[in-house]
């Protein structure tokens, strides 16, 4: 018994790793490869190779004793004993495992011997039966051999008689088909017999049959022409009629013209039905069918009929020389009229509430026109239809842009109304100055937040509506001629970028239309819009364009407006608005100061006892403007204030040039010294730019307004002549302004310098310069 004969019979539950190891060892023992065959390798001739066929134990042992130490010999023995035991164990296991398999195989072989015995008996019986059948068939063939030729001759005569019977009955068959209007059956029947009648037309009998058939077919052709001429049948019946006439050798050119003429009349009736649905003169637009129903009707009636005409024409006149030109002219002419109706209907879609119907209608329109492209390659109809879809989408974008612009202007109107509402207040302080919208709401941050949020939400809503044009289930949305151009130039540039530019441009217009006194634009609106444009520059523009690019997967292959350009435009608008706000507020306060100077007799005025009311009004308005600006802009950076900022002296003795100006009673050359020292002082003082651009913070804004106000005050003082008490009143007023205005500016020296100039100019224009004591000025101002 050899254990390697059935190495594959291993129990299912055995570990597959162990089974592979056992088989591997057996194959190694027998010198087999993975396929069970001995490897084609040269046999080893080394007598010391324990696995080789020429192994010599004595030589192997002598070699080991000669080359190995005692320890190595003992290890070698231990290893060999372990391998022998393992191999014996594996062989014994295989014997036990395969014992039952051998028994089962023995039983199977015994059973097969019995089955093959029975099968041999049945095959012998079948062979005997086949031999009997063969013998019987041979006897029948021998018996009928003499009559076979006669049977064949009679069969041929029978077939000929049936053909002759068909020919003699042909006129009657054709008349019957004509009565039943089975024109197709009549034509097919005549075509089957036409060649035979033509071949034997020299025989009188066949000649008569041929003449009768010609007469009947002429009558049939006449009926078909009349039916074709009436044109009342369906397109399918008309095509069958034309096909039968062509089979009857009718002229193809004439049939072609008539076919297209009848098809044109039916298609024009479909177009008239569509045109009847477009009635701009109707008083109620709601009576019109919606755009989807209109497109559905056009596709189901006109486009379907047109495709049927194209298919029928190509099947019928496929060999006609001019078929391509005639068909293209026919299709282009009718399609142009259909496209004109579709565009008229699309132009009626003015509402921007919901795009779904329009998008679905355009998708269906575009999808159905693709059938024309497949039926009539090279036709311009699909391209023109695509142009209509693109124009409709572009026009829709324009409508949404107009709606966004209207929404923005309406929002500004709401803001102006809110600014004009006298009931709102914050912390009990008015936002705008008394002369510049004193009752404007103090919730400027809320107005700004509401305006910005409403505009952003409207933009998102519009983008969601426009996004329907690029949905995955819309056939034209993934076309390269539509998606790239529509997303980048249509949505991004024509809608989003155009609206951002409109916001900036419309905001700048408030600066252009306002007059010297602010015009009709509330200063608070200028301030709010400047902050809105600044927010757009810092974050909103980038957010909107990023949202657009992500939502529409905009590929910037074509040139687009970069974000930096829009941000620069928004910052420019914000700067211009803020500059204009400073100018308007400064001119409002300047107007009060100008009137207060020009309407007073400064020569004959009484001795000052109080601060003039207009100065208190200037301080109040400046404080209100400071609160208003602080609601939207940060504080800004100020220079360090001195400890006595509110107690700076503005008498004529406080300036470095007053000693020379009032030294006339002591020095004869005082006038010359006065002018000289005054000019030297101006030469070394810092130049003040009154109308310079302001920064985006409260301190800079207030500094600009106060510069304009005090510069106007200075220029008005220079144009007046003062008496003693007039000069003293100017001293009191300037000291009062200094007490409060220094808090609002970035550098208190600026206020001090301008007020010093005002007092100095008043003293220079004074007829009797006798300044008031500083202690008295302080008492009056503190009491005021």
């Amino acid at each position: 018994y050899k254990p390697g004969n059935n190495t594959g019979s291993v129990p299912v539950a055995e570990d597959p790793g162990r089974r592979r190891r056992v088989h591997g060892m057996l194959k190694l023992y027998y010198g087999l490869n993975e396929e069970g065959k001995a490897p084609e390798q040269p046999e080893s001739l080394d007598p010391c190779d324990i696995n080789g066929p020429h192994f010599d134990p004595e030589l192997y042992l002598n070699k080991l004793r000669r080359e190995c130490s005692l320890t190595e010999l003992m290890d070698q023995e231990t290893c060999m004993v372990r391998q022998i035991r393992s191999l014996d164990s594996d062989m014994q296991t295989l014997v036990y495992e395969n014992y039952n398999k051998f028994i089962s195989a023995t039983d199977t072989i015994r059973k097969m011997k019995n089955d093959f015995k029975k099968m041999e008996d049945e095959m012998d019986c079948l062979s005997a039966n086949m031999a009997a059948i063969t013998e019987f068939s041979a006897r029948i063939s021998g018996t009928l051999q003499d009559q076979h030729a006669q049977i064949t001759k009679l069969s041929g005569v029978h077939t000929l008689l049936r053909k002759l019977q068909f020919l003699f009955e042909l006129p009657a068959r054709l008349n019957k088909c004509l009565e039943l209007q089975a024109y197709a059956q009549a034509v097919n029947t005549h075509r089957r017999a036409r060649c035979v009648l033509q071949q034997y037309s020299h025989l009188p009998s066949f000649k008569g049959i041929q003449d009768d058939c010609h007469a009947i077919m002429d009558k049939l052709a006449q009926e078909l022409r009349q039916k074709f001429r009436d044109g009342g049948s369906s397109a399918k019946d008309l095509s069958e009629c034309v096909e039968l006439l062509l089979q009857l050798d009718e002229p193809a050119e004439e049939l072609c013209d008539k076919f297209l003429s009848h098809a044109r009349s039916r298609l024009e009736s479909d177009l008239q039905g569509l045109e009847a649905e477009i009635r701009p003169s109707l008083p109620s637009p709601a009576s019109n069918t919606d755009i989807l129903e209109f497109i559905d009707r056009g596709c189901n009636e006109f486009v379907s009929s047109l495709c049927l005409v194209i298919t029928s024409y190509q099947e019928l006149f496929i060999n006609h020389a001019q078929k391509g030109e005639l068909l293209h002219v026919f299709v282009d002419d009718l399609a142009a009229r259909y496209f004109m109706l579709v565009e008229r209907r699309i132009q009626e879609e003015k509402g921007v509430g919901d795009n779904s119907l329009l998008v679905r209608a355009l998708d269906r329109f575009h999808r159905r026109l693709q059938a024309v492209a497949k039926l009539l390659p090279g036709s311009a109809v699909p391209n023109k239809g695509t142009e209509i879809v693109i124009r409709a989408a572009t026009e829709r974008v324009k409508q949404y842009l107009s709606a966004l612009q209207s929404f923005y202007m309406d929002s500004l109107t709401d803001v102006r109304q809110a600014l004009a509402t006298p009931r709102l207040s914050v912390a009990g302080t008015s936002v705008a100055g008394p002369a510049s919208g004193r009752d404007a709401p103090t919730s400027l941050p809320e107005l700004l937040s509401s305006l910005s949020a409403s505009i952003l939400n409207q933009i998102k809503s519009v983008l969601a509506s426009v996004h329907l044009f690029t949905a995955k289930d819309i056939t034209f949305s993934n076309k390269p001629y539509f998606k790239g151009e529509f997303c980048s130039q249509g949505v991004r540039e024509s809608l989003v970028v155009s609206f951002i530019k409109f916001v900036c441009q419309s905001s700048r217009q408030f600066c252009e239309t306002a007059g010297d006194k602010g015009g009709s634009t509330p200063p608070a609106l200028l301030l709010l819009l400047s902050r809105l444009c600044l927010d757009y520059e810092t974050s909103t523009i980038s957010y909107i364009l990023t949202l657009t690019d992500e939502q529409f997967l905009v590929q910037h292959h074509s040139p687009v407006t970069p974000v930096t350009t829009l941000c620069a435009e928004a910052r420019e608008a914000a700067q211009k608005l803020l500059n204009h706000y400073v100018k308007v507020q400064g001119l409002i306060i300047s107007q009060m100061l100008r009137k207060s100077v020009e309407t007073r007799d400064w020569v004959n005025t009484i001795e000052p006892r109080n601060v003039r009311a207009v100065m208190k009004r200037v301080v109040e308005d400046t404080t209100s403007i400071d609160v208003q600006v602080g609601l939207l802009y940060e504080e800004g950076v100020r220079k360090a204030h001195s400890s006595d900022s509110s107690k700076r002296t503005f008498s004529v003795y406080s300036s470095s040039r007053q000693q020379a100006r009032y030294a006339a009673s002591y020095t004869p050359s005082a006038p010359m010294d006065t002018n000289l020292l005054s000019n030297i002082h101006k030469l070394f003082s810092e130049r003040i730019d009154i109308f310079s651009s302001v920064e985006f913070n409260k301190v800079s804004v207030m500094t600009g307004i106060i510069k304009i106000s005090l510069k106007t005050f200075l220029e008005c003082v220079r144009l007046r002549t003062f008496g003693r008490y007039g000069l003293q009143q100017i001293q009191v007023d300037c000291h009062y302004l200094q007490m409060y205005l220094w808090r609002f500016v970035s550098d208190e020296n600026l206020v001090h310098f301008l007020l010093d100039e005002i007092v100095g100019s008043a003293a220079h224009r004074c007829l009797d310069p006798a300044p008031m004591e500083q202690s008295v000025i302080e008492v009056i101002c503190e009491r005021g």
Side-chain angles (χ1 to χ4, degrees):
Y1 174 72
K2 294 182 180 180
N5 290 347
N6 281 317
T7 57
S9 58
V10 180
V12 176
E14 185 184 352
D15 183 12
R18 172 179 172 80
R19 183 175 59 185
R20 286 194 298 270
R21 182 173 59 82
V22 170
H23 288 184
M25 294 178 65
L26 288 174
K27 288 180 180 179
L28 181 65
Y29 176 79
Y30 287 108
L32 302 177
N33 56 16
E34 294 296 331
E35 298 178 354
K37 299 180 181 180
E40 297 180 358
Q41 296 179 355
E43 295 181 351
S44 176
L45 302 178
D46 186 6
C48 294
D49 183 6
I50 196 171
N51 294 321
H54 301 284
F55 174 68
D56 189 344
E58 292 296 331
L59 292 176
Y60 181 70
L61 289 174
N62 292 333
K63 181 180 179 181
L64 287 179
R65 285 195 296 267
R66 185 173 59 253
E67 296 178 356
C68 299
S69 62
L70 179 61
T71 304
E72 292 174 343
L73 286 174
M74 295 179 67
D75 292 341
Q76 186 74 19
E77 180 190 12
T78 304
C79 179
M80 190 171 296
V81 169
R82 186 170 61 252
Q83 290 180 355
I84 293 171
R85 290 176 180 175
S86 176
L87 183 60
D88 290 342
S89 175
D90 292 339
M91 292 173 63
Q92 188 176 8
T93 300
L94 285 174
V95 170
Y96 291 153
E97 288 174 349
N98 287 283
Y99 179 73
N100 292 332
K101 302 295 181 182
F102 283 124
I103 294 176
S104 176
T106 303
D107 295 340
T108 303
I109 293 172
R110 187 182 300 112
K111 185 177 179 182
M112 289 176 62
K113 287 182 179 180
N114 296 333
D115 293 341
F116 276 117
K117 179 64 177 176
K118 183 178 180 181
M119 188 179 297
E120 287 178 358
D121 296 339
E122 291 177 352
M123 292 298 295
D124 292 340
C125 181
L126 178 61
S127 177
N129 291 337
M130 291 297 295
I133 291 172
T134 303
E135 182 183 358
F136 186 69
S137 175
R139 282 189 294 171
I140 292 175
S141 298
T143 304
L144 297 178
Q145 185 175 3
D146 298 337
Q147 299 178 357
H148 181 70
Q150 186 179 357
I151 291 173
T152 303
K153 182 178 180 181
L154 290 175
S155 177
V157 172
H158 180 262
T159 302
L160 180 60
L161 290 175
R162 288 184 60 186
K163 291 181 179 180
L164 291 174
Q165 182 182 5
F166 175 78
L167 291 175
F168 285 118
E169 293 178 355
L170 183 59
R173 287 175 180 270
L174 294 178
N175 283 324
K176 187 66 175 177
C177 290
L178 200 61
E179 291 177 4
L180 298 177
Q181 295 185 350
Y183 302 125
Q185 183 179 353
V187 172
N188 291 332
T189 304
H190 180 260
R191 288 181 61 190
R192 288 169 56 191
R194 184 167 55 183
C195 295
V196 178
L197 292 174
Q198 184 68 26
Q199 183 179 358
Y200 297 101
S201 60
H202 59 283
L203 300 176
S205 58
F206 287 97
K207 178 66 174 176
I209 295 174
Q210 187 181 26
D211 294 341
D212 292 342
C213 290
H214 279 322
I216 295 172
M217 296 310 293
D218 289 342
K219 185 178 179 182
L220 185 145
Q222 186 176 356
E223 290 187 7
L224 287 175
R225 290 191 204 98
Q226 184 62 38
K227 182 179 179 181
F228 183 69
R229 200 175 296 114
D230 294 341
S233 56
S234 64
K236 183 179 180 181
D237 295 338
L238 196 61
S239 300
E240 292 178 357
C241 184
V242 173
E243 186 177 3
L244 293 177
L245 288 173
L246 288 173
Q247 293 177 7
L248 294 175
D249 299 329
E250 288 289 321
E253 290 80 2
E254 182 180 348
L255 289 176
C256 175
D257 294 338
K258 290 182 179 179
F259 178 80
L260 292 181
S261 176
H262 288 298
R264 181 183 294 274
S265 63
R266 291 196 309 275
L267 292 173
E268 285 180 348
S269 66
D270 293 340
L271 293 177
Q272 290 173 0
L274 291 176
E275 189 173 9
E277 294 187 7
I278 305 176
R279 297 178 180 176
S281 60
L282 284 175
S284 175
S287 61
N288 291 348
T289 57
D290 60 51
I291 183 68
L292 184 59
E293 293 178 2
F294 179 85
I295 295 296
D296 270 341
R297 177 174 177 179
C299 291
N300 295 333
E301 295 179 1
F302 175 80
V303 179
S304 297
S305 300
L306 185 64
C307 292
L308 183 58
V309 168
I310 295 174
T311 304
S312 302
Y313 187 95
Q314 291 175 335
E315 292 176 353
L316 295 173
F317 306 104
I318 191 65
N319 295 322
H320 188 43
Q322 297 180 349
K323 72 176 184 67
E325 297 177 2
L326 290 175
L327 185 59
H328 277 83
V329 172
F330 172 81
V331 171
D332 291 347
D333 182 31
L334 288 170
R337 295 176 55 187
Y338 172 62
F339 291 156
M340 182 182 65
L341 294 176
V342 171
E343 286 201 280
R344 283 176 53 190
R345 183 62 184 85
I346 291 176
Q347 289 174 0
E348 293 183 2
E349 295 296 310
K350 299 296 185 182
V352 290
D354 186 12
N355 259 342
S356 57
L357 281 181
L358 176 63
V359 173
R360 287 168 56 195
L362 293 176
D363 176 56
R364 199 158 301 175
F365 172 76
H366 181 271
R367 194 192 304 266
R368 293 299 292 271
L369 288 182
Q370 302 312 306
V372 179
K374 295 179 181 179
L375 294 175
L376 193 62
S379 174
V381 171
N383 292 335
K384 292 181 179 178
T386 301
E387 291 174 1
I388 290 178
V389 173
I390 294 175
R391 282 198 297 270
T394 304
E395 184 63 28
R396 199 65 167 173
V397 168
K398 291 180 181 177
Q399 293 175 6
Y400 275 110
L401 174 61
S402 178
L404 278 177
Q405 293 173 348
S406 300
F407 177 82
Y408 176 70
M409 299 309 295
D410 292 341
S411 299
L412 290 188
T413 302
D414 295 339
V415 170
R416 295 184 69 159
Q417 291 177 353
L419 292 175
T421 303
R423 294 186 299 273
L424 300 179
S425 63
V426 170
T429 306
S430 175
V431 175
S436 59
R438 177 187 305 174
D439 297 325
T442 56
S443 55
L444 278 180
E446 296 177 4
L447 279 177
L448 175 63
S449 175
S450 174
L451 177 63
S452 181
S454 62
I455 294 173
L456 189 59
N457 290 335
Q458 194 70 11
I459 292 176
K460 290 181 179 179
S461 175
V462 167
L463 289 179
S465 298
V466 177
H467 192 260
L468 294 177
F469 282 97
T470 61
K472 292 183 178 179
D473 57 342
I474 304 301
T475 54
F476 59 80
S477 66
N478 293 321
K479 302 297 182 182
Y481 54 75
F482 177 83
K483 187 168 186 179
E485 190 72 15
F486 176 75
C487 292
S488 63
Q489 298 300 317
V491 177
R492 190 185 192 278
E493 292 297 307
S494 299
L495 181 61
V496 178
V497 173
S498 296
F499 177 68
I500 293 174
K501 289 183 177 180
F502 172 80
V503 171
C504 298
Q505 292 169 1
S506 61
S507 300
R508 286 198 299 266
Q509 289 176 358
F510 286 105
C511 303
E512 298 168 358
T513 57
D516 293 339
K517 298 181 181 179
S520 60
T521 304
L525 181 61
L526 296 173
L527 184 67
L528 186 144
L529 290 179
S530 69
R531 185 68 211 192
L532 177 69
C533 292
L534 185 63
D535 290 342
Y536 266 60
E537 185 263 339
T538 54
S539 61
T540 308
I541 291 178
S542 177
Y543 172 75
I544 293 174
L545 290 181
T546 301
L547 179 67
T548 304
D549 293 346
E550 291 177 352
Q551 193 168 353
F552 289 86
L553 300 176
V554 176
Q555 301 295 330
H556 296 165
H557 298 307
S558 55
V560 295
T561 306
V563 178
T564 52
T565 302
L566 292 175
C567 289
E569 188 170 349
R571 189 174 186 85
E572 179 187 356
Q575 186 69 63
K576 191 171 182 180
L577 284 164
L578 194 61
N579 291 344
H580 194 67
Y581 173 80
V582 170
K583 180 181 177 183
V584 170
Q585 292 286 42
L587 292 179
I588 291 174
I589 298 177
S590 298
Q591 186 69 11
M592 291 189 296
L593 292 172
R594 180 184 291 111
K595 290 182 179 179
S596 69
V597 174
E598 293 177 351
T599 58
R600 190 180 183 90
D601 184 2
W602 294 97
V603 176
N604 300 317
T605 185
I606 62 174
E607 183 178 0
R609 290 290 182 265
N610 292 297
V611 179
R612 288 192 299 150
V614 67
M615 297 302 161
K616 299 179 181 179
R617 178 71 178 275
V618 167
V619 172
E620 291 176 0
D621 288 3
T622 304
T623 305
S624 299
I625 295 172
D626 180 74
V627 174
Q628 184 183 70
V629 177
L631 292 173
L632 297 181
Y633 284 101
E634 292 75 16
E635 182 70 20
V637 180
R638 302 175 187 269
K639 291 184 179 180
H641 295 155
S642 61
S643 58
D644 59 343
S645 298
S646 61
K647 299 181 182 295
R648 298 290 289 268
T649 302
F650 288 99
S651 68
V652 292
Y653 299 107
S654 64
S655 65
S656 60
R657 57 184 180 275
Q658 54 83 26
Q659 287 95 356
R661 184 176 295 143
Y662 294 105
S665 57
Y666 306 104
T667 307
S669 60
M672 182 182 299
D673 295 339
T674 299
N675 294 330
L676 179 61
L677 293 177
S678 176
N679 291 330
I680 291 175
H681 180 80
K682 290 182 179 180
L683 183 64
F684 287 96
S685 62
E686 184 179 355
R687 180 179 178 273
I688 300 176
D689 190 358
I690 301 300
F691 292 101
S692 60
S693 294
V694 296
E695 298 176 2
F696 295 103
N697 57 70
K698 184 177 71 171
V699 172
S700 180
V701 171
M702 296 307 299
T703 301
I705 295 173
I706 291 174
K707 281 195 300 184
I708 295 175
S709 304
L710 296 184
K711 185 64 175 179
T712 304
F713 192 12
L714 174 61
E715 296 303 323
C716 293
V717 167
R718 285 176 175 172
L719 299 177
R720 306 295 293 178
T721 303
F722 295 86
R724 175 186 299 179
Y725 298 133
L727 172 62
Q728 294 177 0
Q729 185 67 59
I730 293 295
Q731 284 183 278
V732 172
D733 293 343
C734 290
H735 185 79
Y736 182 81
L737 292 177
Q738 169 61 23
M739 290 174 61
Y740 296 97
L741 296 186
W742 68 272
R743 296 177 174 87
F744 302 119
V745 296
S746 58
D747 185 4
E748 62 179 284
N749 292 324
L750 183 142
V751 175
H752 180 71
F753 175 78
L754 288 174
L755 292 176
D756 187 34
E757 282 285 320
I758 294 170
V759 175
S761 297
H764 186 69
R765 299 285 299 171
C766 183
L767 300 177
D768 183 16
M772 181 179 288
E773 291 293 335
Q774 182 60 29
S775 58
V776 178
I777 295 175
E778 293 177 1
V779 171
I780 294 175
C781 291
E782 291 174 0
R783 187 179 58 194

